[in-house]
Amino acid sequence: MEEPDRWRHMRNAPRDGSRILVTIRPTEQGPGAVDLAYWSNGDQFGGEAWRSSDSAPGRIIEYAEPELKCWMPIPSADPDRMSLPSPWKGKDTQELEVDGSGI
């Protein structure tokens, strides 16, 4: 069984609507960050895309594929660790490389 608290390439992220943690790439607007997101097959509010779990009808937060660096399953509850993991800050490797810069 794979270790759950490990960042993984976005191409392997589940597209079944389940919530996952994602690392958002750093941009001119700010540093990399972690968000809770899910894949949406599209609806009356937007097309197929990764959406932040903070989204609400009329206020959809969507991420383009190049904006997301990697993902991990939501860690199980652990009272000794009550914070989100840090964003993945390593250099892109073959395993985590995403085509295009997103700009």
Side-chain angles (χ1 to χ4, degrees):
M1 184 156 108
E2 287 191 58
E3 184 180 334
D5 294 347
R6 183 177 67 78
W7 290 111
R8 303 161 190 199
H9 195 287
M10 284 304 296
R11 74 174 158 258
N12 301 323
R15 293 182 181 231
D16 60 3
S18 56
R19 270 47 178 178
I20 59 173
L21 295 178
V22 293
T23 292
I24 304 163
R25 291 179 180 277
T27 65
E28 306 84 42
Q29 288 79 31
V34 172
D35 197 1
L36 185 64
Y38 65 96
W39 177 256
S40 172
N41 289 322
D43 55 24
Q44 66 201 32
F45 303 108
E48 284 188 338
W50 290 102
R51 292 183 182 178
S52 171
S53 287
D54 291 342
S55 293
R59 295 187 183 263
I60 302 296
I61 301 168
E62 288 186 350
Y63 294 113
E65 199 77 33
E67 290 181 278
L68 302 179
K69 195 172 214 175
C70 47
W71 76 281
M72 80 166 60
I74 297 174
S76 59
D78 180 353
D80 296 328
R81 187 176 133 198
M82 296 302 286
S83 62
L84 288 173
S86 298
W88 190 76
K89 294 181 182 176
K91 293 186 182 225
D92 284 345
T93 64
Q94 184 68 24
E95 184 177 328
L96 288 174
E97 184 174 318
V98 176
D99 295 330
S101 67
I103 297 176

